[in-house]
Short mmCIF file of all heavy atoms in Angstrom, two decimals:
data_model
loop_
_atom_site.label_atom_id
_atom_site.label_comp_id
_atom_site.label_asym_id
_atom_site.label_seq_id
_atom_site.Cartn_x
_atom_site.Cartn_y
_atom_site.Cartn_z
N LYS L 482 38.13 -20.75 -29.76
CA LYS L 482 37.88 -20.14 -28.45
C LYS L 482 37.02 -18.88 -28.63
O LYS L 482 37.48 -17.75 -28.51
CB LYS L 482 39.20 -19.80 -27.77
CG LYS L 482 40.08 -21.03 -27.53
CD LYS L 482 41.42 -20.64 -26.93
CE LYS L 482 42.30 -21.87 -26.71
NZ LYS L 482 43.64 -21.51 -26.16
N VAL L 483 35.72 -19.12 -28.94
CA VAL L 483 34.81 -18.02 -29.26
C VAL L 483 34.64 -17.07 -28.09
O VAL L 483 34.41 -15.86 -28.27
CB VAL L 483 33.44 -18.58 -29.71
CG1 VAL L 483 32.47 -17.44 -30.03
CG2 VAL L 483 33.61 -19.47 -30.92
N GLN L 484 34.77 -17.60 -26.86
CA GLN L 484 34.58 -16.74 -25.69
C GLN L 484 35.60 -15.62 -25.63
O GLN L 484 35.41 -14.61 -24.93
CB GLN L 484 34.62 -17.57 -24.40
CG GLN L 484 35.96 -18.22 -24.10
CD GLN L 484 36.09 -19.61 -24.72
OE1 GLN L 484 35.37 -19.92 -25.68
NE2 GLN L 484 36.97 -20.43 -24.18
N ALA L 485 36.68 -15.75 -26.38
CA ALA L 485 37.70 -14.69 -26.39
C ALA L 485 37.15 -13.39 -26.97
O ALA L 485 37.71 -12.31 -26.73
CB ALA L 485 38.91 -15.15 -27.18
N ALA L 486 36.07 -13.51 -27.74
CA ALA L 486 35.47 -12.31 -28.33
C ALA L 486 34.93 -11.36 -27.27
O ALA L 486 34.75 -10.17 -27.53
CB ALA L 486 34.35 -12.70 -29.29
N GLY L 487 34.70 -11.87 -26.07
CA GLY L 487 34.12 -11.05 -25.00
C GLY L 487 34.97 -9.83 -24.67
O GLY L 487 34.45 -8.75 -24.40
N ALA L 488 36.29 -9.99 -24.72
CA ALA L 488 37.17 -8.87 -24.38
C ALA L 488 37.03 -7.75 -25.41
O ALA L 488 37.04 -6.57 -25.05
CB ALA L 488 38.61 -9.36 -24.32
N VAL L 489 36.89 -8.14 -26.68
CA VAL L 489 36.75 -7.14 -27.73
C VAL L 489 35.39 -6.46 -27.63
O VAL L 489 35.27 -5.24 -27.77
CB VAL L 489 36.92 -7.79 -29.13
CG1 VAL L 489 36.66 -6.75 -30.23
CG2 VAL L 489 38.33 -8.34 -29.26
N ILE L 490 34.36 -7.26 -27.42
CA ILE L 490 33.01 -6.71 -27.29
C ILE L 490 32.95 -5.69 -26.16
O ILE L 490 32.40 -4.60 -26.30
CB ILE L 490 31.97 -7.84 -27.05
CG1 ILE L 490 31.91 -8.75 -28.28
CG2 ILE L 490 30.59 -7.26 -26.73
CD1 ILE L 490 31.09 -10.01 -28.05
N GLY L 491 33.55 -6.03 -25.02
CA GLY L 491 33.57 -5.12 -23.89
C GLY L 491 34.27 -3.81 -24.21
O GLY L 491 33.80 -2.73 -23.84
N ALA L 492 35.40 -3.92 -24.94
CA ALA L 492 36.16 -2.72 -25.30
C ALA L 492 35.36 -1.84 -26.27
O ALA L 492 35.35 -0.61 -26.15
CB ALA L 492 37.49 -3.11 -25.92
N VAL L 493 34.64 -2.49 -27.20
CA VAL L 493 33.84 -1.73 -28.16
C VAL L 493 32.68 -1.04 -27.46
O VAL L 493 32.38 0.13 -27.72
CB VAL L 493 33.32 -2.66 -29.29
CG1 VAL L 493 32.32 -1.92 -30.18
CG2 VAL L 493 34.48 -3.17 -30.13
N MET L 494 31.99 -1.74 -26.57
CA MET L 494 30.87 -1.15 -25.85
C MET L 494 31.33 0.05 -25.03
O MET L 494 30.63 1.07 -24.94
CB MET L 494 30.21 -2.19 -24.94
CG MET L 494 29.55 -3.36 -25.68
SD MET L 494 28.21 -2.83 -26.78
CE MET L 494 26.99 -2.31 -25.58
N LYS L 495 32.52 -0.06 -24.45
CA LYS L 495 33.05 1.06 -23.67
C LYS L 495 33.37 2.24 -24.58
O LYS L 495 33.06 3.40 -24.26
CB LYS L 495 34.30 0.62 -22.91
CG LYS L 495 34.89 1.70 -22.02
CD LYS L 495 36.09 1.17 -21.22
CE LYS L 495 36.66 2.26 -20.32
NZ LYS L 495 37.83 1.75 -19.54
N ALA L 496 33.97 1.93 -25.73
CA ALA L 496 34.33 3.00 -26.66
C ALA L 496 33.09 3.69 -27.22
O ALA L 496 33.11 4.90 -27.47
CB ALA L 496 35.17 2.43 -27.80
N MET L 497 32.02 2.92 -27.42
CA MET L 497 30.78 3.47 -27.96
C MET L 497 29.87 4.02 -26.87
O MET L 497 28.72 4.41 -27.14
CB MET L 497 30.03 2.40 -28.75
CG MET L 497 30.81 1.82 -29.93
SD MET L 497 31.20 3.05 -31.19
CE MET L 497 29.58 3.42 -31.82
N LYS L 498 30.35 4.02 -25.63
CA LYS L 498 29.61 4.54 -24.48
C LYS L 498 28.22 3.90 -24.34
O LYS L 498 27.23 4.57 -24.03
CB LYS L 498 29.46 6.07 -24.58
CG LYS L 498 30.80 6.78 -24.55
CD LYS L 498 30.63 8.29 -24.65
CE LYS L 498 31.97 8.99 -24.61
NZ LYS L 498 31.86 10.47 -24.72
N GLY L 499 28.19 2.59 -24.58
CA GLY L 499 26.95 1.85 -24.37
C GLY L 499 25.93 1.96 -25.48
O GLY L 499 24.86 1.38 -25.41
N THR L 500 26.25 2.72 -26.55
CA THR L 500 25.26 2.92 -27.62
C THR L 500 25.33 1.85 -28.70
O THR L 500 24.57 1.89 -29.67
CB THR L 500 25.46 4.29 -28.28
OG1 THR L 500 26.76 4.37 -28.85
CG2 THR L 500 25.24 5.41 -27.27
N ALA L 501 26.25 0.89 -28.57
CA ALA L 501 26.33 -0.21 -29.54
C ALA L 501 25.44 -1.36 -29.11
O ALA L 501 25.20 -1.58 -27.92
CB ALA L 501 27.78 -0.67 -29.66
N ASP L 502 24.96 -2.10 -30.10
CA ASP L 502 24.18 -3.31 -29.84
C ASP L 502 25.18 -4.45 -29.65
O ASP L 502 25.89 -4.84 -30.59
CB ASP L 502 23.26 -3.59 -31.03
CG ASP L 502 22.37 -4.80 -30.80
OD1 ASP L 502 22.71 -5.65 -29.97
OD2 ASP L 502 21.32 -4.91 -31.47
N ALA L 503 25.26 -4.97 -28.43
CA ALA L 503 26.27 -5.99 -28.12
C ALA L 503 26.15 -7.21 -29.02
O ALA L 503 27.16 -7.80 -29.43
CB ALA L 503 26.15 -6.39 -26.65
N ALA L 504 24.93 -7.59 -29.35
CA ALA L 504 24.73 -8.76 -30.21
C ALA L 504 25.30 -8.51 -31.61
O ALA L 504 25.93 -9.40 -32.22
CB ALA L 504 23.24 -9.09 -30.30
N ARG L 505 25.07 -7.28 -32.13
CA ARG L 505 25.61 -6.95 -33.45
C ARG L 505 27.12 -6.86 -33.42
O ARG L 505 27.81 -7.29 -34.36
CB ARG L 505 25.01 -5.63 -33.94
CG ARG L 505 25.48 -5.20 -35.32
CD ARG L 505 25.18 -6.27 -36.36
NE ARG L 505 25.65 -5.88 -37.69
CZ ARG L 505 25.90 -6.75 -38.66
NH1 ARG L 505 25.75 -8.08 -38.43
NH2 ARG L 505 26.31 -6.33 -39.83
N VAL L 506 27.68 -6.34 -32.35
CA VAL L 506 29.14 -6.27 -32.21
C VAL L 506 29.73 -7.67 -32.23
O VAL L 506 30.74 -7.94 -32.90
CB VAL L 506 29.54 -5.53 -30.91
CG1 VAL L 506 31.05 -5.63 -30.68
CG2 VAL L 506 29.11 -4.07 -30.98
N ARG L 507 29.09 -8.59 -31.56
CA ARG L 507 29.57 -9.98 -31.53
C ARG L 507 29.56 -10.59 -32.94
O ARG L 507 30.51 -11.27 -33.34
CB ARG L 507 28.72 -10.80 -30.58
CG ARG L 507 29.22 -12.22 -30.35
CD ARG L 507 28.38 -12.95 -29.30
NE ARG L 507 28.97 -14.22 -28.93
CZ ARG L 507 28.82 -15.35 -29.63
NH1 ARG L 507 28.09 -15.35 -30.75
NH2 ARG L 507 29.38 -16.47 -29.23
N GLU L 508 28.47 -10.33 -33.66
CA GLU L 508 28.38 -10.84 -35.02
C GLU L 508 29.53 -10.32 -35.88
O GLU L 508 30.15 -11.08 -36.65
CB GLU L 508 27.05 -10.43 -35.65
CG GLU L 508 25.82 -11.13 -35.07
CD GLU L 508 24.52 -10.59 -35.68
OE1 GLU L 508 24.61 -9.76 -36.60
OE2 GLU L 508 23.44 -11.03 -35.24
N LEU L 509 29.80 -9.04 -35.78
CA LEU L 509 30.85 -8.43 -36.60
C LEU L 509 32.23 -8.95 -36.21
O LEU L 509 33.10 -9.17 -37.08
CB LEU L 509 30.79 -6.91 -36.47
CG LEU L 509 29.56 -6.23 -37.09
CD1 LEU L 509 29.53 -4.74 -36.76
CD2 LEU L 509 29.55 -6.43 -38.61
N VAL L 510 32.46 -9.15 -34.91
CA VAL L 510 33.76 -9.68 -34.47
C VAL L 510 33.98 -11.07 -35.04
O VAL L 510 35.05 -11.40 -35.55
CB VAL L 510 33.84 -9.71 -32.93
CG1 VAL L 510 35.08 -10.47 -32.48
CG2 VAL L 510 33.86 -8.30 -32.37
N LEU L 511 32.93 -11.91 -35.00
CA LEU L 511 33.05 -13.27 -35.52
C LEU L 511 33.23 -13.26 -37.04
O LEU L 511 33.93 -14.12 -37.59
CB LEU L 511 31.84 -14.10 -35.11
CG LEU L 511 31.64 -14.32 -33.60
CD1 LEU L 511 30.42 -15.16 -33.32
CD2 LEU L 511 32.89 -15.00 -33.02
N GLU L 512 32.57 -12.29 -37.69
CA GLU L 512 32.74 -12.19 -39.15
C GLU L 512 34.18 -11.83 -39.47
O GLU L 512 34.77 -12.38 -40.43
CB GLU L 512 31.81 -11.10 -39.71
CG GLU L 512 30.34 -11.53 -39.80
CD GLU L 512 29.46 -10.41 -40.34
OE1 GLU L 512 30.04 -9.39 -40.84
OE2 GLU L 512 28.24 -10.54 -40.24
N ARG L 513 34.79 -10.93 -38.72
CA ARG L 513 36.18 -10.53 -38.95
C ARG L 513 37.13 -11.72 -38.77
O ARG L 513 38.12 -11.83 -39.46
CB ARG L 513 36.59 -9.42 -37.96
CG ARG L 513 35.73 -8.16 -38.04
CD ARG L 513 35.97 -7.38 -39.31
NE ARG L 513 37.17 -6.57 -39.22
CZ ARG L 513 37.66 -5.86 -40.24
NH1 ARG L 513 37.07 -5.91 -41.41
NH2 ARG L 513 38.74 -5.13 -40.08
#
Side-chain angles (χ1 to χ4, degrees):
K482 300 177 181 178
V483 179
Q484 65 271 22
V489 176
I490 295 171
V493 172
M494 296 298 291
K495 183 177 181 180
M497 300 297 293
K498 297 180 179 179
T500 60
D502 183 338
R505 181 57 181 158
V506 172
R507 186 175 189 278
E508 289 176 5
L509 292 173
V510 171
L511 297 180
E512 284 179 12
R513 301 289 280 175

